[in-house]
Amino acid sequence: MTGFDSMPSAWNGLLALFQISSATALEHRIADIFRPLGSPAESERAIAYLTFAITGAIFIVVGGLIVYTIARFRRRSNDHSQQEPAQVYGSNQIEVAWTVIPILIVFVLIGVSGRVIASLQNASPPKKTVKVRIVGHQWWWEVHYPDYGIVTANEIHIPASMPGQPAAAYLTLESQDVIHSFWLPQLSGKTDLIPNRANYMWIDAKEPGIYLGNCAEYCGTQHANMLLRVVADTPEDWSKWTASQQRAAVGSEGSQEAVLKPVATTSEQSPRATFESLSCVSCHMVKGTAALGKFGPDLTHLMSRKTIGAGVLDNNHRNLRDWINDPHDAKPGCLMPNMKLTPKELDSVVAYLETLK
Ligand code: CUA
């Protein structure tokens, strides 16, 4: 499937039109389907080139005929006849040609795509395959690792496929609300996340690093800001990441008391007590604390993530404070309400969240 690898680089300039650019300034790859770094994306690139070649040829033939006709049959200044050109009706040859040729083209594309789809679905997975369950929400991604007991959001860590140590991630894709679509251009084509149904796909990242993606199915106001980041870790980083995610949240000590006792409402509350006294906890989970909500992203290890708001803002002190102060500033229409916190409450909540390493 690599016969088109040697396409001239002029194509790359033209085809750069199909790239996604990222809103954040963090180090990342350009999300470009023509620079695949995963097995599914590599096979799919060949189909993309074939499709571009066929549609490009059609464009040149049709466009060329139009230009030729306009030039050849234009009205000339020395032509004073008022006659219409000869009108031709019902050429069997022409009608057969423009019926049969498109049908053949469609069948060629169906055949080639079907072969690639089958080969991807039947591929035997590498020994090291991590299961990840991803649930689409308006407008963020819930991420579960059932074999590790890890829950996170928006940033999906997978082990990178290293020479001699192939690794992959097997994804189960679901939706909590409307149809979303999971798309990581450099790793694989799109797969929809559909309510009341599970879809499956697999990805393998051939280089460690960050791969960008996006929701690719219009799902409401903030569809364009439903960004995806896949972090492909080296084997050491993967072990470190899973170990740190499995640890209890920093600052969740004494959790039982916090759950059992009503939170004191003295003026000198700890940042954690302030957080637990606010309705943040009905939507967000911080494992081991009174925060047991499931509607919004799990915050247990919030500070291990590089971005907030599903990739719209870098995760730093100022952005985190601005985000909690008014999420609708960065992401108008998002489902996290403006909590109208006092500056003091805001400082406390930010201080607490910043302990969640
Ligand atoms: Cu989710 Cu578009």
Side-chain angles (χ1 to χ4, degrees):
M1 303 297 295
T2 53
F4 296 92
D5 279 356
S6 52
M7 295 291 272
S9 62
W11 269 98
N12 289 338
L14 175 67
L15 302 174
L17 294 170
F18 294 86
Q19 293 169 353
I20 292 178
S21 65
S22 162
T24 74
L26 294 166
E27 190 202 5
H28 56 73
R29 296 194 167 79
I30 292 167
D32 179 355
I33 66 165
F34 295 100
R35 275 180 259 170
L37 281 166
S39 310
E42 275 167 10
S43 342
E44 288 156 0
R45 176 179 58 174
I47 305 178
Y49 278 142
L50 178 65
T51 310
F52 270 107
I54 292 174
T55 51
I58 294 171
F59 177 78
I60 288 166
V61 169
V62 174
L65 285 173
I66 290 173
V67 170
Y68 171 79
T69 311
I70 291 169
R72 173 75 178 75
F73 298 105
R74 71 189 187 280
R75 178 186 281 261
R76 287 159 213 275
S77 53
N78 59 359
D79 176 9
H80 299 298
S81 69
Q82 293 299 314
Q83 275 182 331
E84 279 195 12
Q87 303 293 302
V88 180
Y89 293 104
S91 160
N92 282 341
Q93 286 100 318
I94 292 176
E95 290 194 16
V96 167
W98 71 42
T99 307
V100 171
I101 294 172
I103 290 175
L104 290 179
I105 291 172
V106 168
F107 276 101
V108 165
L109 289 176
I110 290 174
V112 171
S113 308
R115 199 179 64 172
V116 170
I117 291 168
S119 75
L120 291 178
Q121 286 186 341
N122 299 333
S124 45
K127 222 164 129 203
K128 183 160 185 180
T129 298
V130 175
K131 286 195 198 118
V132 190
R133 178 173 157 252
I134 297 164
V135 185
H137 293 254
Q138 287 177 317
W139 290 276
W140 61 281
W141 309 89
E142 178 184 341
V143 185
H144 294 259
Y145 295 77
D147 296 340
Y148 292 83
I150 295 172
V151 183
T152 181
N154 302 319
E155 294 187 9
I156 303 167
H157 281 249
I158 61 171
S161 204
M162 309 296 282
Q165 286 175 278
Y170 185 78
L171 313 179
T172 304
L173 302 170
E174 297 166 25
S175 170
Q176 185 66 39
D177 37 43
V178 298
I179 300 177
H180 304 272
S181 178
F182 187 89
W183 188 31
L184 291 156
Q186 285 193 292
L187 296 181
S188 183
K190 304 163 187 175
T191 303
D192 280 2
L193 301 90
I194 298 170
N196 298 317
R197 181 194 158 88
N199 279 343
Y200 306 94
M201 70 188 282
W202 61 276
I203 50 175
D204 60 347
K206 297 196 171 173
E207 280 178 17
I210 296 171
Y211 295 81
L212 295 179
N214 203 338
C215 179
E217 177 83 36
Y218 181 72
C219 55
T221 313
Q222 283 297 332
H223 153 72
N225 280 330
M226 189 167 165
L227 306 173
L228 260 172
R229 298 162 63 80
V230 163
V231 184
D233 288 319
T234 59
E236 305 79 62
D237 287 347
W238 169 252
S239 315
K240 268 190 230 159
W241 183 79
T242 48
S244 75
Q245 296 290 311
Q246 284 169 326
R247 269 198 292 275
V250 177
S252 69
E253 307 80 31
S255 54
Q256 289 314 81
E257 288 153 52
V259 175
L260 298 175
K261 278 191 213 160
V263 179
T265 48
T266 61
S267 57
E268 284 310 314
Q269 275 183 338
S270 69
R272 177 177 160 191
T274 305
F275 174 76
E276 289 183 319
S277 70
L278 294 165
S279 49
C280 310
V281 298
S282 30
C283 288
H284 292 284
M285 167 87 71
V286 179
K287 265 187 224 128
T289 75
L292 297 170
K294 292 199 161 172
F295 189 71
D298 186 301
L299 302 178
T300 309
H301 296 284
L302 174 68
M303 299 317 286
S304 71
R305 308 204 279 265
K306 296 281 189 294
T307 60
I308 50 177
V312 292
L313 296 170
D314 290 351
N315 187 1
N316 58 40
H317 178 79
R318 211 190 70 201
N319 285 345
L320 187 58
R321 197 175 192 283
D322 289 348
W323 171 260
I324 299 164
N325 187 37
D326 186 8
H328 295 251
D329 190 30
K331 219 165 163 174
C334 81
L335 301 186
M336 173 162 157
N338 178 339
M339 301 295 295
K340 306 228 165 29
L341 302 183
T342 64
K344 213 176 153 211
E345 285 171 329
L346 188 56
D347 287 334
S348 275
V349 169
V350 173
Y352 174 63
L353 294 180
E354 285 181 335
T355 66
L356 301 175
K357 300 272 155 62

